[in-house]
Amino acid sequence: MGIATARAINNNIASLTAAYPDRFVSMGTVPLQVNGRRGIGLVVKELGFHGVEINTNVAARICPHPAYDLCSRRRSLSGSSFLIHPIGFTDAKRLINHYFNNVMGNPLESTIAVSHLIFGGVLDAHPGLKVVIAHGWVYPCPPMRGLWLMRPQPAQTAASI
Amino acid sequence: MPSRYPQRLHFDTIVFSTEQLKIWCANMARIICCWARTIPTTSVIGDPIGFIESAKLDSVEARAVMGENAGRLLKIEAPLNRPVR
């Protein structure tokens, strides 16, 4: 199901780009929950896409995902961009009113993904990785960055990365 | 330190005032801001280019926000519709 869905989406994106090459460049989707490594290779290399869009988590497992390794290490894929976009906060029961799921839930979900990329060592392991974070305004806030150093556990990790 | 990593990432977000845009650019590396507009959109900024110009960023920052960052990300040439001061 995941592969078939991704293929249908990507084929439509490729068709749109082919029809309007002066208006669009393509980023594809990949079924990370099924076969992320093969899927990313298909999207970026064979369809000529400029990057891939992925979610902030994969089947409720949080990024980082081994797909990052592939994009960093294979020359044909290096330089490709990841757009990480949330599809809502995973525990949104308290955010269903007032559009809170978008206003607060998505930025929180993106912040969790960014934090795992940093504290999980992904950015250190892959210095050429290009990542775009959608709904990403929380993590760069100065108080957020400073707070990492105020708590022993993240401060200890921060000192090592 | 975690505080240096935002300069390696690109953040897609919305700002609603020129003050917010200036704060964002001042706290991030120049290259990380990129600008886009979703159509159809519920975000009401009638003249996005004029909005960026009104923030009075320096020309390097303004060009980056208006398309050069996105061009670098996607490995395309990002044409600017009008010259930046």
Side-chain angles (χ1 to χ4, degrees), chain B residues 68-81:
Chain B
E68 287 185 349
N69 286 334
R72 272 191 289 270
L73 274 171
L74 297 172
K75 293 186 282 190
I76 59 173
E77 184 178 352
L80 297 177
N81 291 329

Side-chain angles (χ1 to χ4, degrees), chain A:
Chain A
M1 173 67 80
I3 293 174
T5 302
R7 184 171 290 135
I9 292 171
N10 291 332
N11 285 340
N12 276 316
I13 293 173
S15 298
L16 185 66
T17 307
Y20 303 98
D22 58 330
R23 302 291 295 172
F24 296 108
V25 294
S26 300
M27 298 186 83
T29 187
V30 291
L32 291 180
Q33 77 280 14
V34 179
N35 192 344
R37 288 173 178 270
R38 192 164 67 88
I40 281 184
L42 175 69
V43 165
V44 177
K45 187 176 181 182
E46 297 180 16
L47 291 178
F49 284 4
H50 291 243
V52 294
E53 179 176 350
I54 62 175
N55 193 12
T56 44
N57 66 78
V58 181
R61 298 189 305 274
I62 297 169
C63 291
H65 189 277
Y68 290 116
D69 296 340
L70 184 71
C71 274
S72 299
R73 292 174 183 168
R74 275 181 52 175
R75 181 173 297 177
S76 61
L77 304 180
S78 65
S80 302
S81 298
F82 281 92
L83 171 63
I84 302 178
H85 194 293
I87 53 171
F89 187 52
T90 51
D91 185 15
K93 285 181 291 189
R94 292 188 298 154
L95 304 177
I96 58 175
N97 296 327
H98 317 298
Y99 207 44
F100 281 172
N101 194 29
N102 181 274
V103 176
M104 289 183 282
N106 279 334
L108 178 56
E109 182 76 13
S110 291
T111 300
I112 292 170
V114 173
S115 301
H116 278 286
L117 287 180
I118 293 172
F119 282 81
V122 176
L123 295 184
D124 280 342
H126 309 299
L129 201 61
K130 294 194 288 190
V131 178
V132 186
I133 312 294
H135 297 261
W137 60 268
V138 174
Y139 187 87
C141 293
M144 169 67 84
R145 287 185 275 161
L147 281 169
W148 290 125
L149 306 179
M150 300 296 291
R151 303 295 178 188
Q153 186 178 6
Q156 186 176 7
T157 304
S160 66
I161 59 178

